[in-house]
Amino acid sequence: MKFLLPLSVLTLLATPCLAQVASDAVRSFTDLEKVAAQLALQPYQAPTQQLDPFFESLKYDGHRQIRYLRDKALFADLGDTYRIEFFHPGWMFKKPVMFYDMKGPQTVDVPFDRKNFEYGDLKVPADAKNPQGYAGFRVLAPDSLIKRPFEFMVFMGASYFRAVTTQLGYGISARAVAVNTIGGEPEEFPDFTHFWFQQPKPGDKSFKLLALLNGPSITGAYEFESTPGESTEMKIKATLHLRKAVKMLGIAPFSSMFWFGENSHPKPYDFRPEVHDSDGLQVEIAGGPTIWRPLDVSRDLRLSIFETDKLKGFGLAERDRDFNNFQDLEANYHRRPAVWVEPVSGFGKGAVTLVELSTGEETWDNIVAMWKPDQLPATPAEPLKVEYKLHWLDQHEPGTLCKVISSRRGFVMDSDDHLYVIDFAKGGENGAGKPKDWTPDIDVVLSGGEGKVLDKRVMRNNETGGWRAFFKLDVPEKTNLLEIMMELKAEKKVISERWMYQWRR
């Protein structure tokens, strides 16, 4: 397939490393789709820049001293509207990113300007060479939203981005795509190399931008329309082209951290009861089930796959909002946002995929969740188009179903049998119209290995107003892995989320 492109776009594609873009190359998402399609037919060239030795040698403490001056923000002269502040290259963020302002009938470059920064105690040499571009950016909402400056969205490093709400801080990281996260091939991290900002106006509810994705195996055109608030919503549209076949492609991927929680054994020698950004994966399938998968880690990688062609949504959540369960005054893990992916189009047959990696500390993200399409394009000319909404919020409620609020496990006293204790919040048919002593039925199913359910029962939890489910397992010595499924029922009707857990020896 061939595209007839304007001269400015052809100039873009011929430029080494995509360092320069003609200012009028992109005016719409359709323009950007054409750029990404043509770029997929070209050999990959990684974005690089040779930083001045002073900026090249910056470490974490030095780089964090560099601050963008608030009065220099892009669009700061347009009144009470969205503004952009940029990040300085250095430390881990050395690749140049190009930016454009789509103002009026023309698009203009947003070049790097050292006068836009303050450098703290750093003594920048007078003859230090300026970087080719900025490293990333953050978006500030109109001050009128919460009566003060409010940074709600950041794009920084490869294709990563994060958002917050007016009530919750940074936690989970999203990215454009995941390439070969599993499958045996080296993982790739494509870059957002260029961004185009739609100039905002006072009164705008949302901020719009375009982004060009480029990597060894993939190119893509992205459109973001972001609306901050108590729940921050991103409408995302993407058209992707594969330069070459990949082992795995993840759509709407995001990363989180889980070190230990209420279900972890043994726990690290740490003063905090729990340390995690998220404590579970949610999956909703049209017609059921609605799944809650508590996060956990062990010595080995844990891989969970939920296949469906009727996906309603999925996401990682931090359901535990009790400070007493974290005791961290600095990280505030109890105030980390959940993320919910709501498919709009392009999500056919595939699988929600959860990867849980072993970790010994809290610095690095070790949890990845994504949508893995069953079929991928066979040639670079064949586009993969998806649209979805990304909700950053307190939590996504599972309708009227009883919601899992805690998952605990241990050994039965004086035994090597395993005991599981799962609490469900009030919801569903929570005893309405039933005798006072009524309790739901509990259904427990084991798969993937040998094991036996010894006992199962449900009782009312008067502390929460919901239900507490118990069951015991006898796991033979030869069993190394078990998939456990449990749900509550009123007669034959499911009234709870489907609790699913992967047991590993």
Side-chain angles (χ1 to χ4, degrees), residues 193-215:
T193 57
H194 298 73
F195 288 90
W196 290 261
F197 302 125
Q198 180 175 301
Q199 194 165 96
K201 302 183 298 294
D204 283 351
K205 298 299 183 183
S206 304
F207 181 73
K208 296 181 181 180
L209 62 86
L210 303 174
L212 177 64
L213 182 77
N214 190 28

Side-chain angles (χ1 to χ4, degrees), residues 380-439:
E382 182 183 351
L384 173 62
K385 296 191 175 189
V386 295
E387 292 186 45
Y388 57 96
K389 296 178 182 178
L390 205 56
H391 303 270
W392 307 76
L393 70 174
D394 182 82
Q395 55 187 288
H396 175 78
E397 297 291 344
T400 60
L401 295 173
C402 296
K403 179 178 68 176
V404 178
I405 56 175
S406 66
S407 304
R408 295 181 173 87
R409 64 188 182 100
F411 284 120
V412 178
M413 185 177 296
D414 298 325
S415 169
D416 60 358
D417 294 333
H418 298 264
L419 172 65
Y420 284 83
V421 181
I422 295 90
D423 276 306
F424 291 85
K426 184 177 181 180
E429 295 185 11
N430 206 28
K434 304 290 184 181
K436 189 174 182 180
D437 60 350
W438 179 84
T439 58

Side-chain angles (χ1 to χ4, degrees), residues 446-452 476 479-483:
L446 307 180
S447 61
E450 289 190 30
K452 183 178 182 181
T479 299
N480 292 314
L481 182 147
L482 269 179
E483 288 287 350

